Amino acid sequence: QKEVEQNSGPLSVPEGAIASLNCTYSDRVSQSFFWYRQYSGKSPELIMSIYSNGDKEDGRFTAQLNKASQYVSLLIRDSQPSDSATYLCAPFTLSYSSGSARQLTFGSGTQLTVLP
Amino acid sequence: GAVVSQHPSRVICKSGTSVKIECRSLDFQATTMFWYRQFPKQSLMLMATSNEGSKATYEQGVEKDKFLINHASLTLSTLTVTSAHPEDSSFYICSARAHKWGDEQYFGPGTRLTVT
């Protein structure tokens, strides 16, 4: 089982629609969760962090966290062509590749395309 | 705030030579810096974690003698790829974390290395 799982996509939505990105993680004691946006050929940019169960809204972005289900999602309202990018889910989790160290563990990302 | 720079942004070198990449936190003191590598169409892979004044902690499968990391100050970390080979060609990205931001990490713009 992968530590962080995301639908790879590609996910296509029309301009103005809501884009819904999902992520599940395996570490039950993760407390911090982050969404990064990565444009092609660029480095990741932090867009949302969430620490408590429920919803957190920031502009057009809403992060949702359900620790019991080990599930975190990102909703993008009124999607714009400029939102077209790969979205990376990154819980702060126990990484099996580094022994007992806790660190950001990235999913493989969901590629989002917003069609004009 | 939270600006991380990298230099150079692109480098082309011949097989067998060494390349040094610098990562700087410009407006904060980074307690921890991270080095990632990303191959085309793949997710970020953590290579190593470094704390100022300490030896870096490398992930499984990353050769510490090949990828030398120096974290000389709270604002500067360097990655040296020694005896580079074409298979080392990749996008190398650093990130930094500060205590005041908890688990949040901010990424530099990345360095694209091509070994010919």
Side-chain angles (χ1 to χ4, degrees), chain B residues 55-78:
Chain B
K55 286 186 178 181
T57 300
Y58 290 81
E59 295 298 295
Q60 286 182 9
V62 177
E63 300 173 58
K64 60 182 67 176
D65 294 332
K66 181 172 181 62
F67 299 100
L68 302 179
I69 292 172
N70 185 282
H71 193 160
S73 74
L74 285 172
T75 60
L76 173 64
S77 177
T78 60

PDB file of all heavy atoms in Angstrom, chain B residues 55-78:
ATOM      1  N   LYS B  55      25.292  16.476  10.350  1.00  0.00           N
ATOM      2  CA  LYS B  55      25.388  15.666   9.126  1.00  0.00           C
ATOM      3  C   LYS B  55      23.989  15.427   8.576  1.00  0.00           C
ATOM      4  O   LYS B  55      23.028  15.276   9.325  1.00  0.00           O
ATOM      5  CB  LYS B  55      26.037  14.315   9.438  1.00  0.00           C
ATOM      6  CG  LYS B  55      27.533  14.381   9.676  1.00  0.00           C
ATOM      7  CD  LYS B  55      28.114  12.965   9.820  1.00  0.00           C
ATOM      8  CE  LYS B  55      29.619  13.031  10.006  1.00  0.00           C
ATOM      9  NZ  LYS B  55      30.202  11.656  10.135  1.00  0.00           N
ATOM     10  N   ALA B  56      23.923  15.369   7.266  1.00  0.00           N
ATOM     11  CA  ALA B  56      22.626  15.137   6.627  1.00  0.00           C
ATOM     12  C   ALA B  56      22.165  13.703   6.846  1.00  0.00           C
ATOM     13  O   ALA B  56      22.978  12.786   6.988  1.00  0.00           O
ATOM     14  CB  ALA B  56      22.735  15.423   5.133  1.00  0.00           C
ATOM     15  N   THR B  57      20.857  13.534   6.869  1.00  0.00           N
ATOM     16  CA  THR B  57      20.261  12.199   6.945  1.00  0.00           C
ATOM     17  C   THR B  57      19.758  11.837   5.561  1.00  0.00           C
ATOM     18  O   THR B  57      18.902  12.531   5.004  1.00  0.00           O
ATOM     19  CB  THR B  57      19.076  12.186   7.931  1.00  0.00           C
ATOM     20  OG1 THR B  57      19.538  12.570   9.218  1.00  0.00           O
ATOM     21  CG2 THR B  57      18.466  10.789   8.002  1.00  0.00           C
ATOM     22  N   TYR B  58      20.296  10.766   5.001  1.00  0.00           N
ATOM     23  CA  TYR B  58      19.965  10.373   3.635  1.00  0.00           C
ATOM     24  C   TYR B  58      18.864   9.320   3.627  1.00  0.00           C
ATOM     25  O   TYR B  58      18.788   8.466   4.514  1.00  0.00           O
ATOM     26  CB  TYR B  58      21.207   9.815   2.938  1.00  0.00           C
ATOM     27  CG  TYR B  58      22.250  10.863   2.634  1.00  0.00           C
ATOM     28  CD1 TYR B  58      23.135  11.297   3.617  1.00  0.00           C
ATOM     29  CD2 TYR B  58      22.346  11.424   1.364  1.00  0.00           C
ATOM     30  CE1 TYR B  58      24.078  12.266   3.352  1.00  0.00           C
ATOM     31  CE2 TYR B  58      23.297  12.389   1.083  1.00  0.00           C
ATOM     32  CZ  TYR B  58      24.155  12.814   2.086  1.00  0.00           C
ATOM     33  OH  TYR B  58      25.093  13.774   1.804  1.00  0.00           O
ATOM     34  N   GLU B  59      18.033   9.371   2.598  1.00  0.00           N
ATOM     35  CA  GLU B  59      16.998   8.368   2.410  1.00  0.00           C
ATOM     36  C   GLU B  59      17.624   7.081   1.888  1.00  0.00           C
ATOM     37  O   GLU B  59      18.715   7.081   1.310  1.00  0.00           O
ATOM     38  CB  GLU B  59      15.947   8.869   1.418  1.00  0.00           C
ATOM     39  CG  GLU B  59      15.174  10.079   1.924  1.00  0.00           C
ATOM     40  CD  GLU B  59      14.387   9.784   3.173  1.00  0.00           C
ATOM     41  OE1 GLU B  59      13.440   8.965   3.104  1.00  0.00           O
ATOM     42  OE2 GLU B  59      14.702  10.367   4.221  1.00  0.00           O
ATOM     43  N   GLN B  60      16.906   6.002   2.098  1.00  0.00           N
ATOM     44  CA  GLN B  60      17.386   4.706   1.603  1.00  0.00           C
ATOM     45  C   GLN B  60      17.603   4.769   0.104  1.00  0.00           C
ATOM     46  O   GLN B  60      16.768   5.299  -0.637  1.00  0.00           O
ATOM     47  CB  GLN B  60      16.357   3.614   1.922  1.00  0.00           C
ATOM     48  CG  GLN B  60      16.321   3.201   3.374  1.00  0.00           C
ATOM     49  CD  GLN B  60      15.331   2.086   3.631  1.00  0.00           C
ATOM     50  OE1 GLN B  60      14.788   1.502   2.682  1.00  0.00           O
ATOM     51  NE2 GLN B  60      15.082   1.778   4.883  1.00  0.00           N
ATOM     52  N   GLY B  61      18.720   4.236  -0.323  1.00  0.00           N
ATOM     53  CA  GLY B  61      19.013   4.178  -1.755  1.00  0.00           C
ATOM     54  C   GLY B  61      19.737   5.397  -2.290  1.00  0.00           C
ATOM     55  O   GLY B  61      20.128   5.407  -3.462  1.00  0.00           O
ATOM     56  N   VAL B  62      19.919   6.420  -1.482  1.00  0.00           N
ATOM     57  CA  VAL B  62      20.641   7.613  -1.926  1.00  0.00           C
ATOM     58  C   VAL B  62      22.081   7.511  -1.450  1.00  0.00           C
ATOM     59  O   VAL B  62      22.338   7.354  -0.255  1.00  0.00           O
ATOM     60  CB  VAL B  62      19.982   8.896  -1.373  1.00  0.00           C
ATOM     61  CG1 VAL B  62      20.790  10.123  -1.787  1.00  0.00           C
ATOM     62  CG2 VAL B  62      18.548   9.005  -1.844  1.00  0.00           C
ATOM     63  N   GLU B  63      23.024   7.593  -2.399  1.00  0.00           N
ATOM     64  CA  GLU B  63      24.432   7.425  -2.050  1.00  0.00           C
ATOM     65  C   GLU B  63      24.988   8.701  -1.420  1.00  0.00           C
ATOM     66  O   GLU B  63      25.142   9.724  -2.090  1.00  0.00           O
ATOM     67  CB  GLU B  63      25.231   7.109  -3.309  1.00  0.00           C
ATOM     68  CG  GLU B  63      24.786   5.844  -4.026  1.00  0.00           C
ATOM     69  CD  GLU B  63      25.512   5.705  -5.360  1.00  0.00           C
ATOM     70  OE1 GLU B  63      26.759   5.670  -5.333  1.00  0.00           O
ATOM     71  OE2 GLU B  63      24.848   5.663  -6.405  1.00  0.00           O
ATOM     72  N   LYS B  64      25.332   8.620  -0.170  1.00  0.00           N
ATOM     73  CA  LYS B  64      25.819   9.806   0.525  1.00  0.00           C
ATOM     74  C   LYS B  64      27.168  10.281   0.013  1.00  0.00           C
ATOM     75  O   LYS B  64      27.509  11.459   0.121  1.00  0.00           O
ATOM     76  CB  LYS B  64      25.863   9.559   2.034  1.00  0.00           C
ATOM     77  CG  LYS B  64      26.735   8.433   2.475  1.00  0.00           C
ATOM     78  CD  LYS B  64      26.662   8.242   3.988  1.00  0.00           C
ATOM     79  CE  LYS B  64      25.297   7.756   4.419  1.00  0.00           C
ATOM     80  NZ  LYS B  64      25.210   7.456   5.868  1.00  0.00           N
ATOM     81  N   ASP B  65      27.969   9.369  -0.533  1.00  0.00           N
ATOM     82  CA  ASP B  65      29.278   9.776  -1.063  1.00  0.00           C
ATOM     83  C   ASP B  65      29.162  10.409  -2.442  1.00  0.00           C
ATOM     84  O   ASP B  65      30.108  11.062  -2.905  1.00  0.00           O
ATOM     85  CB  ASP B  65      30.211   8.565  -1.148  1.00  0.00           C
ATOM     86  CG  ASP B  65      30.547   8.024   0.227  1.00  0.00           C
ATOM     87  OD1 ASP B  65      30.541   8.815   1.188  1.00  0.00           O
ATOM     88  OD2 ASP B  65      30.796   6.814   0.339  1.00  0.00           O
ATOM     89  N   LYS B  66      28.034  10.205  -3.073  1.00  0.00           N
ATOM     90  CA  LYS B  66      27.836  10.785  -4.389  1.00  0.00           C
ATOM     91  C   LYS B  66      27.124  12.146  -4.286  1.00  0.00           C
ATOM     92  O   LYS B  66      27.410  13.068  -5.035  1.00  0.00           O
ATOM     93  CB  LYS B  66      26.999   9.853  -5.254  1.00  0.00           C
ATOM     94  CG  LYS B  66      26.768  10.374  -6.658  1.00  0.00           C
ATOM     95  CD  LYS B  66      26.116   9.328  -7.519  1.00  0.00           C
ATOM     96  CE  LYS B  66      25.921   9.879  -8.916  1.00  0.00           C
ATOM     97  NZ  LYS B  66      27.198  10.221  -9.580  1.00  0.00           N
ATOM     98  N   PHE B  67      26.205  12.227  -3.369  1.00  0.00           N
ATOM     99  CA  PHE B  67      25.432  13.462  -3.170  1.00  0.00           C
ATOM    100  C   PHE B  67      25.829  14.061  -1.825  1.00  0.00           C
ATOM    101  O   PHE B  67      25.285  13.705  -0.782  1.00  0.00           O
ATOM    102  CB  PHE B  67      23.929  13.165  -3.218  1.00  0.00           C
ATOM    103  CG  PHE B  67      23.476  12.593  -4.526  1.00  0.00           C
ATOM    104  CD1 PHE B  67      23.271  11.231  -4.670  1.00  0.00           C
ATOM    105  CD2 PHE B  67      23.253  13.422  -5.620  1.00  0.00           C
ATOM    106  CE1 PHE B  67      22.855  10.696  -5.882  1.00  0.00           C
ATOM    107  CE2 PHE B  67      22.832  12.906  -6.836  1.00  0.00           C
ATOM    108  CZ  PHE B  67      22.630  11.527  -6.975  1.00  0.00           C
ATOM    109  N   LEU B  68      26.787  14.984  -1.892  1.00  0.00           N
ATOM    110  CA  LEU B  68      27.332  15.579  -0.680  1.00  0.00           C
ATOM    111  C   LEU B  68      26.507  16.800  -0.280  1.00  0.00           C
ATOM    112  O   LEU B  68      26.295  17.698  -1.081  1.00  0.00           O
ATOM    113  CB  LEU B  68      28.792  15.988  -0.906  1.00  0.00           C
ATOM    114  CG  LEU B  68      29.739  14.871  -1.342  1.00  0.00           C
ATOM    115  CD1 LEU B  68      31.143  15.429  -1.552  1.00  0.00           C
ATOM    116  CD2 LEU B  68      29.762  13.737  -0.326  1.00  0.00           C
ATOM    117  N   ILE B  69      26.062  16.800   0.955  1.00  0.00           N
ATOM    118  CA  ILE B  69      25.247  17.914   1.437  1.00  0.00           C
ATOM    119  C   ILE B  69      25.965  18.606   2.582  1.00  0.00           C
ATOM    120  O   ILE B  69      26.437  17.961   3.518  1.00  0.00           O
ATOM    121  CB  ILE B  69      23.868  17.416   1.888  1.00  0.00           C
ATOM    122  CG1 ILE B  69      23.092  16.935   0.660  1.00  0.00           C
ATOM    123  CG2 ILE B  69      23.100  18.509   2.638  1.00  0.00           C
ATOM    124  CD1 ILE B  69      21.800  16.239   0.980  1.00  0.00           C
ATOM    125  N   ASN B  70      26.019  19.927   2.469  1.00  0.00           N
ATOM    126  CA  ASN B  70      26.611  20.752   3.507  1.00  0.00           C
ATOM    127  C   ASN B  70      25.604  21.809   3.925  1.00  0.00           C
ATOM    128  O   ASN B  70      25.073  22.523   3.082  1.00  0.00           O
ATOM    129  CB  ASN B  70      27.901  21.409   2.996  1.00  0.00           C
ATOM    130  CG  ASN B  70      28.600  22.182   4.088  1.00  0.00           C
ATOM    131  OD1 ASN B  70      28.202  23.291   4.433  1.00  0.00           O
ATOM    132  ND2 ASN B  70      29.631  21.593   4.657  1.00  0.00           N
ATOM    133  N   HIS B  71      25.346  21.893   5.211  1.00  0.00           N
ATOM    134  CA  HIS B  71      24.392  22.880   5.716  1.00  0.00           C
ATOM    135  C   HIS B  71      25.163  23.761   6.691  1.00  0.00           C
ATOM    136  O   HIS B  71      25.105  23.574   7.907  1.00  0.00           O
ATOM    137  CB  HIS B  71      23.239  22.150   6.401  1.00  0.00           C
ATOM    138  CG  HIS B  71      22.064  23.019   6.688  1.00  0.00           C
ATOM    139  ND1 HIS B  71      20.814  22.494   6.911  1.00  0.00           N
ATOM    140  CD2 HIS B  71      21.923  24.350   6.776  1.00  0.00           C
ATOM    141  CE1 HIS B  71      19.967  23.472   7.151  1.00  0.00           C
ATOM    142  NE2 HIS B  71      20.618  24.606   7.074  1.00  0.00           N
ATOM    143  N   ALA B  72      25.891  24.721   6.122  1.00  0.00           N
ATOM    144  CA  ALA B  72      26.865  25.478   6.895  1.00  0.00           C
ATOM    145  C   ALA B  72      26.240  26.549   7.783  1.00  0.00           C
ATOM    146  O   ALA B  72      26.825  26.942   8.795  1.00  0.00           O
ATOM    147  CB  ALA B  72      27.870  26.133   5.946  1.00  0.00           C
ATOM    148  N   SER B  73      25.070  27.032   7.410  1.00  0.00           N
ATOM    149  CA  SER B  73      24.441  28.094   8.194  1.00  0.00           C
ATOM    150  C   SER B  73      22.938  27.924   8.143  1.00  0.00           C
ATOM    151  O   SER B  73      22.415  27.058   7.430  1.00  0.00           O
ATOM    152  CB  SER B  73      24.823  29.462   7.641  1.00  0.00           C
ATOM    153  OG  SER B  73      24.132  29.718   6.439  1.00  0.00           O
ATOM    154  N   LEU B  74      22.226  28.745   8.894  1.00  0.00           N
ATOM    155  CA  LEU B  74      20.768  28.655   8.931  1.00  0.00           C
ATOM    156  C   LEU B  74      20.110  29.183   7.666  1.00  0.00           C
ATOM    157  O   LEU B  74      18.887  29.133   7.542  1.00  0.00           O
ATOM    158  CB  LEU B  74      20.235  29.407  10.152  1.00  0.00           C
ATOM    159  CG  LEU B  74      20.427  28.697  11.491  1.00  0.00           C
ATOM    160  CD1 LEU B  74      20.045  29.609  12.632  1.00  0.00           C
ATOM    161  CD2 LEU B  74      19.612  27.409  11.552  1.00  0.00           C
ATOM    162  N   THR B  75      20.902  29.691   6.737  1.00  0.00           N
ATOM    163  CA  THR B  75      20.320  30.202   5.498  1.00  0.00           C
ATOM    164  C   THR B  75      20.916  29.569   4.252  1.00  0.00           C
ATOM    165  O   THR B  75      20.535  29.916   3.138  1.00  0.00           O
ATOM    166  CB  THR B  75      20.496  31.729   5.408  1.00  0.00           C
ATOM    167  OG1 THR B  75      21.897  32.036   5.440  1.00  0.00           O
ATOM    168  CG2 THR B  75      19.777  32.444   6.546  1.00  0.00           C
ATOM    169  N   LEU B  76      21.827  28.635   4.394  1.00  0.00           N
ATOM    170  CA  LEU B  76      22.495  28.083   3.219  1.00  0.00           C
ATOM    171  C   LEU B  76      22.732  26.583   3.357  1.00  0.00           C
ATOM    172  O   LEU B  76      23.276  26.111   4.358  1.00  0.00           O
ATOM    173  CB  LEU B  76      23.841  28.779   2.990  1.00  0.00           C
ATOM    174  CG  LEU B  76      24.742  28.196   1.889  1.00  0.00           C
ATOM    175  CD1 LEU B  76      24.084  28.333   0.522  1.00  0.00           C
ATOM    176  CD2 LEU B  76      26.105  28.874   1.913  1.00  0.00           C
ATOM    177  N   SER B  77      22.321  25.857   2.323  1.00  0.00           N
ATOM    178  CA  SER B  77      22.656  24.444   2.207  1.00  0.00           C
ATOM    179  C   SER B  77      23.131  24.215   0.781  1.00  0.00           C
ATOM    180  O   SER B  77      22.636  24.853  -0.156  1.00  0.00           O
ATOM    181  CB  SER B  77      21.435  23.560   2.495  1.00  0.00           C
ATOM    182  OG  SER B  77      21.741  22.189   2.314  1.00  0.00           O
ATOM    183  N   THR B  78      24.106  23.325   0.626  1.00  0.00           N
ATOM    184  CA  THR B  78      24.588  23.008  -0.721  1.00  0.00           C
ATOM    185  C   THR B  78      24.516  21.510  -0.967  1.00  0.00           C
ATOM    186  O   THR B  78      24.692  20.701  -0.047  1.00  0.00           O
ATOM    187  CB  THR B  78      26.038  23.485  -0.935  1.00  0.00           C
ATOM    188  OG1 THR B  78      26.883  22.831   0.008  1.00  0.00           O
ATOM    189  CG2 THR B  78      26.146  24.990  -0.773  1.00  0.00           C
TER     190      THR B  78
END
